[in-house]
Amino acid sequence: MPRIGSKKLYYLLNQDLKKLIIGRDKFIDILGANHLLILPKRSYHITTNSHHRFRKYKNQLLDLQINQPEQVWVSDITYIGKREKPCYLSLITDAYSKKIVGYNVSDNLNTESSLVALRLAVKHR
């Protein structure tokens, strides 16, 4: 039976394992030591489309030495919630300290939500 789980396998072999006095946890340890456990597949959603028609800018920070706070701020937008009705989180982060200096949650991807996060970062500076 390929790809049978350890708990189901333990249930099927329960009578034989009781004779050997092996419990569920010990059985799973034995399977793991012999590399017989099935690695779960990751739930993975691709949210970035890098092959779009818009201009892609070069990374201007590759050669820059960041050695103090508030020298460089970076921003990112990510979605949170379910795919049916996502919310978008705009973040402004200090590249040196990794501190979030501005944020905004919105139900759309308008530029205004990113600008609100930037205004918050400037205000708290």
Side-chain angles (χ1 to χ4, degrees):
M1 288 189 200
R3 300 211 35 98
I4 189 170
S6 58
K7 291 179 184 177
K8 191 171 192 178
L9 188 59
Y10 175 75
Y11 174 77
L12 293 173
L13 298 174
N14 194 10
Q15 296 301 322
D16 296 330
L17 292 173
K18 279 186 180 178
K19 293 176 189 174
L20 297 173
I21 312 172
I22 295 177
R24 184 195 68 210
D25 294 340
K26 181 67 175 173
F27 178 66
I28 292 174
D29 290 343
I30 291 169
L31 290 177
N34 291 294
H35 307 289
L36 296 173
L37 290 176
I38 298 170
L39 298 175
K41 291 183 180 177
R42 280 188 63 204
S43 174
Y44 188 73
H45 299 289
I46 297 174
T47 59
T48 302
N49 176 14
S50 297
H51 304 291
H52 48 72
R53 59 188 165 93
F54 303 109
R55 177 182 291 164
K56 297 178 203 165
Y57 293 94
K58 293 181 181 176
N59 188 350
Q60 299 176 350
L61 301 177
L62 288 177
D63 298 328
L64 182 66
Q65 292 292 324
I66 302 171
N67 52 15
Q68 63 183 358
E70 296 192 5
Q71 184 178 355
V72 174
W73 284 350
V74 294
S75 65
D76 190 21
I77 301 172
T78 187
Y79 83 94
I80 52 178
K82 302 203 180 227
R83 281 187 172 271
E84 295 83 37
K85 192 170 189 305
C87 291
Y88 299 94
L89 175 65
S90 302
L91 294 170
I92 309 291
T93 308
D94 181 34
Y96 179 79
S97 65
K98 308 293 190 269
K99 177 182 174 186
I100 296 173
V101 292
Y103 62 91
N104 184 43
V105 178
S106 177
D107 61 349
N108 56 40
L109 277 173
N110 292 345
T111 45
E112 184 60 33
S113 61
S114 296
L115 290 174
V116 169
L118 181 61
R119 285 187 202 111
L120 182 68
V122 171
K123 177 182 172 185
H124 289 293
R125 183 169 187 256

